[in-house]
Amino acid sequence: MSRLFFREAIARAISEEMQRDPTIILMGQDIAEHGGSYAETRGLFERFGAARVRNTPVAEAVTVGLAAGAAAAGLRPLAFITYVDFLMIGLDPLVNYAAKLKFKSAAQLTAPMVVKATAGAKGQGPTHAQSLDSWLMNVPGITVLAPSTSGDAYGLLKTALRAPGPVVYIDHKRLFPLGGEVPDGETLVPVASAAIRREGRHLTIVAHSYMSLVTIEAAKLLAKEGIEAEVIDLRSVWPVDWDTLEASVRRTGHLLTVEEGQEVCGVGTEIAFVLQERLDGLRVARLGARRMPVSASPVLESYALPDAERVAASARRLLQRARQDDVAVTT
Amino acid sequence: MIRKLIIPVELGDVEVRLLDWLKSEGDAVAAGDALLEFETDKAIVVVTASGDGVLRRVLFGSGDWMKPGDVVALLSSTADEALPAEGEVGDVLQVTFDVT
């Protein structure tokens, strides 16, 4: 294992995959000589050259559209969207073309492209700091991956660059300042493989991306009160590792979902619904952003988003409500 | 007088990687001397002393990962002062940070 900055894990994954597969090309704003908005493509232009590492204008619809067309024609593009908010402009080629190509062509054509986008709030305000994972998981044909560690940034991006259809790989601004262990050999993290970050028997808390780290902090707070929370990091938002999630909630009987995006039609809402279908009597709660845009004001930003205290409070409320229900049933 | 050099807590929730010491244990340090370089996720930071002293003990080496608040080194006013245990040093060495 080596300890790497998040950006270094990304660069290593891309470099190894570009070496292995000559059809991989990179497209995005400032990714060539500048080395990427988060320094995550540093060294790739020098190593692989201008034909494979291409700067694009500030025109995300064009970037994603070109990537989708190039993918259908036999290349494997990796398109960089600096802020996931601007993927909105590229949704038409991604959703209407790339995601549907396999279905429309009876699998004669595919679009093996990856969109790498960065989500999350860190002071950038209402249009540069959103989390739109649930929008993307709603689209048939798109795989949505979301690492929370350097090791998963590496392993999931390698998987994305070998996947048959469009993948949106979403990382988070608050992960870039952190270091993490990355295997020295080539190790891929498969799709639909959630990671149990902490074991516990009283409730299961499912999170992804940066909220996995927040949830681990919340679990430490709860442990001081004798509440043992099992923390599961989805890693793959779609497809979901239902088996790992179901096995956990069968042990704990309680599920709290945590995400940085909206609760309404959110990732957690979908997960809670499916797990309730699988397990009668499962008690669920969800926590996401308050129903407001992310603000550029640090006070309002932190008010809008879950933190460890709010996650812990939601866990306590879920367990308390369940105990009251049990009392009501027995009396 | 013994002072400690720390990674500034104002950096927030980050980790940094020590690149190189530009001074060695035992070296005299003058105000304006560069002491070490560390790396954040997006910048190289050179740490420069704001006062004179002697670099007495280095607590992290090249390639080590550090967090804000970590004590990186101990410095003294003169070369022969006895060093107390690390936890007993209360004064923080004033330094400047040049980001490139």
Side-chain angles (χ1 to χ4, degrees):
Chain A
M1 298 285 243
S2 306
R3 193 166 184 82
L4 299 181
F5 277 116
F6 198 80
R7 63 169 161 82
E8 294 175 316
I10 290 169
R12 192 180 129 197
I14 296 172
S15 184
E16 287 176 4
E17 291 304 298
M18 288 183 81
Q19 182 67 35
R20 186 187 60 78
D21 179 353
T23 68
I24 294 174
I25 61 164
L26 312 186
M27 306 164 66
Q29 294 160 31
D30 294 328
I31 63 164
E33 297 91 333
H34 182 68
S37 301
Y38 306 93
E40 79 276 41
T41 59
R42 203 177 274 174
L44 297 176
F45 176 77
E46 291 76 10
R47 179 164 179 199
F48 295 103
R52 295 183 70 191
V53 182
R54 292 168 173 257
N55 279 331
T56 55
V58 184
E60 287 81 2
V62 173
T63 306
V64 178
L66 286 173
L75 293 177
R76 188 178 277 279
L78 168 55
F80 292 75
I81 304 293
T82 304
Y83 298 108
V84 74
D85 315 65
F86 297 104
L87 183 53
M88 291 181 199
I89 304 162
L91 280 182
D92 179 55
L94 179 67
V95 174
N96 273 328
Y97 190 79
K100 295 189 172 91
L101 192 57
K102 178 179 69 176
F103 300 99
K104 291 197 297 190
S105 69
Q108 293 179 74
L109 294 171
T110 58
M113 61 182 285
V114 180
V115 174
K116 180 198 167 299
T118 302
K122 199 185 172 198
Q124 293 86 355
T127 62
H128 294 66
Q130 296 166 82
S131 293
L132 307 174
D133 325 318
S134 64
W135 295 18
L136 295 158
M137 81 188 285
N138 182 267
V139 179
I142 297 182
T143 298
V144 183
L145 305 177
S148 72
T149 66
S150 293
D152 286 347
Y154 169 79
L156 287 172
L157 191 49
K158 286 180 75 78
T159 293
L161 287 167
R162 301 180 186 194
V167 176
V168 182
Y169 168 99
I170 308 171
D171 50 35
H172 192 293
K173 298 175 194 79
R174 291 188 187 272
L175 298 172
F176 280 90
L178 307 178
E181 302 298 322
V182 178
D184 290 326
E186 288 199 39
T187 308
L188 277 68
V189 176
V191 296
S193 66
I196 298 177
R197 299 295 186 199
R198 183 185 174 105
E199 294 188 350
R201 60 198 168 92
H202 294 127
L203 81 159
T204 302
I205 311 182
V206 174
H208 65 280
S209 189
Y210 177 66
M211 280 296 141
S212 299
L213 308 188
V214 171
T215 298
I216 291 167
E217 291 308 306
K220 291 176 187 167
L221 296 176
L222 292 166
K224 291 179 189 162
E225 305 160 22
I227 299 172
E228 295 297 334
E230 182 142 297
V231 178
I232 301 185
D233 179 353
L234 284 176
R235 303 200 289 190
S236 177
V237 176
W238 194 271
V240 177
D241 181 359
W242 294 115
D243 291 346
T244 296
L245 269 54
E246 183 182 345
S248 176
V249 294
R250 282 190 182 279
R251 287 193 296 275
T252 66
H254 301 82
L255 170 71
L256 170 64
T257 64
V258 178
E259 66 198 289
E260 189 167 321
Q262 288 287 310
E263 289 173 9
V264 176
C265 300
V267 176
T269 305
E270 178 63 24
I271 282 168
F273 192 93
V274 171
L275 291 176
Q276 280 189 309
E277 286 182 319
R278 288 187 174 211
L279 180 59
D280 281 342
L282 176 65
R283 279 153 168 141
V284 302
R286 64 182 178 177
L287 177 64
R290 295 186 202 269
R291 196 111 178 109
M292 56 193 282
V294 179
S295 174
S297 148
V299 174
L300 290 175
E301 180 188 283
S302 60
Y303 176 75
L305 302 182
D307 57 18
E309 289 289 350
R310 280 184 68 199
V311 174
S314 294
R316 285 184 212 108
R317 270 199 304 278
L318 171 64
L319 294 173
Q320 192 175 19
R321 202 180 72 212
R323 275 196 298 273
Q324 285 165 351
D325 289 349
D326 288 341
V327 171
V329 168
T330 50
T331 54
Chain B
M1 183 180 186
I2 310 294
R3 285 169 297 179
K4 59 190 176 186
L5 171 60
I6 66 168
I7 301 294
V9 291
E10 291 77 12
L11 285 172
D13 191 13
V14 304
E15 293 175 65
V16 303
R17 186 166 54 201
L18 202 158
L19 293 176
D20 261 322
W21 279 101
L22 306 172
K23 293 281 181 183
S24 303
E25 283 187 359
D27 283 357
V29 172
D33 282 355
L35 298 174
L36 73 150
E37 288 181 326
F38 67 80
E39 184 178 22
T40 72
D41 62 316
K42 51 184 143 192
I44 308 287
V45 180
V46 178
V47 180
T48 303
S50 298
D52 300 343
V54 178
L55 181 60
R56 296 291 299 280
R57 185 169 295 158
V58 163
L59 300 164
F60 287 90
S62 295
D64 285 349
W65 288 75
M66 308 177 292
K67 290 188 167 179
D70 281 345
V71 178
V72 184
L74 299 179
L75 293 95
S76 60
S77 304
T78 58
D80 52 1
E81 276 175 81
L83 285 183
E86 180 196 320
E88 295 167 17
V89 179
D91 294 304
V92 175
L93 178 75
Q94 294 304 308
V95 292
T96 58
F97 298 92
D98 299 312
V99 178
T100 55

